[in-house]
Amino acid sequence: MKAAMVFDGLGFGGIERVGKNYAEMLIELGYDVDIYNLKPGKREMEDEYPEECNIYHYSIPDIMLPDHYLLIVKRWRWGKYLYPVIYFFSFVLMSTFKLRFIKHKKYDLAIAFSGHFRDLSFVAYDFIKSKKKLCWLHGSLIDYLLVSYTYGDLYRRIKNGVCLSESGNDAVYNSCRYLNGKLNIRKISNPIKTEWPEFDSSSVASLREKYGKYLLMVGRLDEDKDQATIIKARKILETKYGLTPKVVFVGDGTEKEKLRAIAKHEGLENEIIFVGKKNDVENYYLSAHIFVHSSKAEGMPMTLLESMKYGLPIVSTESLPGVREILGLDEYGLVCNVGDPYGMADCIFNMYKDKELYQSYREKGLNRVKDFSFETTKGYFAKCIRDMI
């Protein structure tokens, strides 16, 4: 059996780490796996994928993605008149570009894994031939349709989908009749391998000595991750409670200089540490005191599962739908409102000062992460493949 996994780039990120686990899962289920990277400039994670996988690079410009242009109908009154013309020419351009794939392999299963226009179009419009198609929604169906209802037509072409939350699905089917009965979608949680990889104990000790009982966040430095809330919460911890932990951000992105400026404005330029991308992120999980998460919205943040895996208590914003799916209502970590530095500071203070609370969340997290184990998810995934239409 042959499977293709299609990605809109393979840089460092949560989707790419989840994809790595599913590539391994497909291999264990008996598939030969090919990886298609549609943004060849983003390939930092490629070496992390199983060596059994073949990796192909194709650059597909936005200009040849017909569904991308449907946004003009929503944004401008005149868009409905121009759209058919643009759609026609982009479709012709895309069809011409597809000719280079005619002699390519045929697959039993093709997965649009990033869930973006590029990989969805690649699978939906048969750039590669497959008996069954599957698209990944790193969140809920309603989340993606709120971003752009044009996703719905691509989902309908693919027919099968995996989501991380079923919240709002009934509302979608009631309002989008063209999807009702045309989309076979099921909920499968992101998997995580619960066993610890090898780690450098001397590096862990060194980080503890260097940063003390520090706060950790792992993720891209992008606007939607809202690390500014953590920086402001750190200032509140100092002024309100006299608590002065360092904050370490692992990751890189477009907001880095802006976040540096915010830290400097708050007088925290020496307390907010930007270490960039790290391949040894496990050493940071093991050496930190509390994990903090500040995203405005998340499908199912792998960093929360990774934190639990290493016994690291969590303070998080309630970035829907994923945080509630993992943490519940303060059941497995302390949760505050999105964009609320005061609420976050209060939660961090409580976690620092209440040793019983701290230990309780360590233990609860270690048990909770088992619900998302690799083997548990593999069983759900195998059934999903069997039930595809």
Side-chain angles (χ1 to χ4, degrees), residues 3-5 7 10 19-28 31-36 45-57 105 107:
M5 296 183 70
F7 292 86
L10 280 169
K20 169 182 173 291
N21 286 338
Y22 274 101
E24 295 175 359
M25 205 176 287
L26 283 166
I27 291 170
E28 291 190 11
Y31 286 87
D32 296 326
V33 179
D34 288 345
I35 305 293
Y36 288 82
M45 275 289 293
E46 286 186 355
D47 290 342
E48 302 292 324
Y49 278 68
E51 61 182 14
E52 297 96 327
C53 296
N54 299 307
I55 298 181
Y56 300 96
H57 300 101
K105 298 180 182 179
Y107 295 93

Side-chain angles (χ1 to χ4, degrees), residues 4-201:
M5 296 183 70
V6 186
F7 292 86
D8 190 21
L10 280 169
F12 283 114
I15 288 175
E16 293 78 7
R17 294 202 301 277
V18 175
K20 169 182 173 291
N21 286 338
Y22 274 101
E24 295 175 359
M25 205 176 287
L26 283 166
I27 291 170
E28 291 190 11
L29 290 172
Y31 286 87
D32 296 326
V33 179
D34 288 345
I35 305 293
Y36 288 82
N37 182 353
L38 304 185
K39 281 187 179 176
K42 292 187 176 182
R43 58 175 70 183
E44 295 91 341
M45 275 289 293
E46 286 186 355
D47 290 342
E48 302 292 324
Y49 278 68
E51 61 182 14
E52 297 96 327
C53 296
N54 299 307
I55 298 181
Y56 300 96
H57 300 101
Y58 294 101
S59 181
I60 300 180
D62 288 337
I63 194 173
M64 61 177 65
L65 303 177
D67 295 271
H68 181 74
Y69 294 101
L70 193 55
L71 294 172
I72 68 173
V73 177
K74 186 176 182 180
R75 290 180 180 175
W76 297 288
R77 289 182 180 179
W78 46 264
K80 61 183 178 182
Y81 304 109
L82 185 59
Y83 172 69
V85 178
I86 296 177
Y87 183 95
F88 174 77
F89 282 106
S90 65
F91 190 85
V92 170
L93 187 62
M94 181 186 69
S95 300
T96 303
F97 184 80
K98 278 172 53 179
L99 293 176
R100 68 191 293 185
F101 293 91
I102 285 179
K103 295 182 180 180
H104 220 293
K105 298 180 182 179
K106 295 183 179 179
Y107 295 93
D108 298 285
L109 174 64
I111 305 174
F113 199 84
S114 292
H116 299 161
F117 277 118
R118 205 178 318 273
D119 57 296
L120 287 168
S121 298
F122 192 88
V123 172
Y125 289 105
D126 295 319
F127 277 71
I128 50 176
K129 299 292 184 180
S130 62
K131 294 178 181 177
K132 294 182 178 180
K133 304 173 186 177
L134 180 64
C135 59
W136 228 264
L137 288 69
H138 299 275
S140 66
L141 180 58
I142 196 169
D143 291 333
Y144 278 82
L145 295 184
L146 285 173
V147 172
S148 173
Y149 63 87
T150 57
Y151 281 118
D153 190 55
L154 291 168
Y155 298 156
R156 183 176 58 83
R157 289 174 180 272
I158 293 173
K159 296 183 180 179
N160 301 284
V162 168
C163 65
L164 300 180
S165 172
E166 295 174 325
S167 175
N169 280 11
D170 289 340
V172 169
Y173 293 135
N174 288 334
S175 60
C176 302
R177 298 298 176 86
Y178 71 99
L179 284 179
N180 199 352
K182 301 292 180 61
L183 179 60
N184 174 33
I185 191 165
R186 63 176 62 240
K187 173 184 169 182
I188 303 179
S189 299
N190 287 341
I192 185 168
K193 291 189 174 181
T194 53
E195 64 274 11
W196 287 12
E198 293 185 8
F199 64 94
D200 187 345
S201 58

Side-chain angles (χ1 to χ4, degrees), residues 137-144 146 163-169 187 189-190 293 295-301 304 316-329 335 338 368 372:
L137 288 69
H138 299 275
S140 66
L141 180 58
I142 196 169
D143 291 333
Y144 278 82
L146 285 173
C163 65
L164 300 180
S165 172
E166 295 174 325
S167 175
N169 280 11
K187 173 184 169 182
S189 299
N190 287 341
H293 177 84
S295 289
K296 297 176 182 178
E298 285 280 1
M300 183 164 287
L304 297 191
S316 175
T317 52
E318 192 182 12
S319 43
L320 298 174
V323 168
R324 184 176 291 182
E325 293 280 344
I326 297 174
L327 299 182
L329 298 175
V335 178
V338 169
R368 174 60 169 161
F372 303 89

